Amino acid sequence: MSELLIIGKRIGILVFLIFLFSCSKRNITYFSNLDPEQEGKYSQTVEVKPIRIQKEDELEIKVTTLNPESNLLFNYGVISEGGEVNIGSLGSYGLSKYIVDSEGNIDFPILGKVNLTGLTREEAKRKMTELLSKLVTDPRVELSISNFKITVLGEVNNPSSFIIDTDKITILEALGLAGDMTVYGRRENVMIIREDESGKKLFRIDMNDKEILNSQDFYLMQNDVLYVEAHKKKLLQADINPTTIAILSIVSSVAVALIFSFDEIFN
């Protein structure tokens, strides 16, 4: 009988340790090492990398000149003899939108192939303005990336891809679009997958660390994938069959009852 009591106590201790592990405290606060005395004093000192045009980007380009016919030509395609716009020449991407092809070029009216890959938005505007200045007087060019996309996956409440209407987005803003991390998201080990001319890159960031605010990695690039890993507690729960959990709960309850019963009998 004493051996059974010892076994029961060991089972009870094991159950207690499992319960203690499952209730262990996790840090789910962003920038948790930020000193309260530094609040309001922390400033961005790093220079943010400018967004550069990549292959397969969709550019929206609007040209304004002093000549109405030139405006129609550069913004809508080809002008017919009657002065009407030939919408059919624009393809399936809409008015004033151009896809950067596999060689880094766009096919612009009159100018033909123009290579813009690797340029910032401002550099591309200057290049287009210089080329158009040879054809018309005082052209004005507006240029933006209309398919600036980021993807947020993993332990977030609304995993999805998002089209951004600006040239700059932070990790916090991306997480906000995805409904923030769940309680199981590993804030200390968020993964960013990025692809550029040199290939795919993968790096990790710690959202518990305030230093990420002063890092270039705090800002995402177009087509970045943000992946939030699940904490091992959730992975453990996913691997355990619900039936097994029920059986373990029953066994644990019986073991605890036996411990108290034996203590009352033999003491």
Side-chain angles (χ1 to χ4, degrees):
M1 188 67 69
S2 61
E3 293 181 358
L4 185 59
L5 179 60
I6 293 173
I7 293 174
K9 287 185 176 181
R10 288 178 177 176
I11 293 176
I13 293 172
L14 178 60
V15 171
F16 174 75
L17 290 175
I18 293 174
F19 176 78
L20 185 64
F21 172 76
S22 64
C23 296
S24 60
K25 185 179 179 181
R26 289 183 52 237
N27 187 358
I28 59 174
T29 304
Y30 296 122
F31 321 124
S32 57
N33 62 350
L34 180 62
D35 187 343
E37 296 182 358
Q38 295 294 321
E39 293 182 10
K41 301 177 182 179
Y42 203 80
S43 60
Q44 177 76 26
T45 58
V46 69
E47 182 179 355
V48 180
K49 290 182 180 179
I51 298 298
R52 296 190 177 275
I53 296 172
Q54 301 177 0
K55 298 173 183 177
E56 298 184 4
D57 277 351
E58 183 180 83
L59 306 181
E60 185 166 357
I61 303 175
K62 181 179 179 180
V63 178
T64 304
T65 71
L66 300 176
N67 188 324
E69 289 193 356
S70 295
N71 294 339
L72 290 175
L73 175 62
F74 291 126
N75 292 316
Y76 297 96
V78 181
I79 301 177
S80 66
E81 293 182 359
E84 298 178 354
V85 179
N86 186 352
I87 299 298
S89 66
L90 298 174
S92 60
Y93 296 108
L95 306 180
S96 305
K97 292 188 178 181
Y98 305 89
I99 301 296
V100 182
D101 63 24
S102 59
E103 296 179 352
N105 300 318
I106 62 169
D107 191 1
F108 199 80
I110 305 300
L111 295 179
K113 298 287 185 180
V114 181
N115 192 293
L116 298 177
T117 186
L119 301 181
T120 66
R121 188 168 62 87
E122 291 301 319
E123 290 171 345
K125 284 176 58 176
R126 286 197 296 270
K127 182 172 183 178
M128 293 296 298
T129 301
E130 290 173 2
L131 293 173
L132 290 168
S133 295
K134 300 175 182 179
L135 303 175
V136 293
T137 302
D138 196 24
R140 295 287 185 268
V141 177
E142 296 178 21
L143 186 150
S144 63
I145 302 174
S146 59
N147 67 334
F148 189 119
K149 181 184 71 174
I150 59 162
T151 301
V152 187
L153 300 174
E155 280 300 316
V156 291
N157 290 296
N158 181 31
S160 185
S161 294
F162 305 94
I163 300 297
I164 310 302
D165 58 0
T166 180
D167 286 354
K168 185 171 64 175
I169 181 171
T170 68
I171 293 175
L172 285 180
E173 290 170 327
L175 290 173
L177 291 174
D180 202 4
M181 297 187 203
T182 70
V183 294
Y184 293 108
R186 294 186 62 188
R187 284 143 177 82
E188 75 280 5
N189 198 27
V190 178
M191 183 187 306
I192 296 178
I193 303 171
R194 178 172 297 162
E195 185 173 5
D196 55 24
E197 294 297 323
S198 60
K200 287 186 173 64
K201 298 178 181 178
L202 186 152
F203 49 97
R204 300 175 186 273
I205 57 174
D206 183 357
M207 294 299 294
N208 288 332
D209 187 358
K210 70 178 187 301
E211 292 304 321
I212 189 62
L213 294 169
N214 201 32
S215 168
Q216 291 181 340
D217 297 333
F218 188 58
Y219 292 86
L220 299 176
M221 310 290 284
Q222 71 265 48
N223 303 316
D224 274 359
V225 177
L226 193 68
Y227 177 68
V228 180
E229 291 186 343
H231 190 265
K232 57 185 177 182
K233 178 180 177 181
K234 181 173 184 179
L235 297 176
L236 179 62
Q237 292 176 350
D239 289 338
I240 299 178
N241 187 285
T243 303
T244 303
I245 296 176
I247 294 174
L248 288 174
S249 298
I250 294 172
V251 171
S252 300
S253 299
V254 172
V256 172
L258 287 173
I259 291 171
F260 285 104
S261 298
F262 287 145
D263 280 342
E264 291 178 359
I265 293 173
F266 294 100
N267 294 326

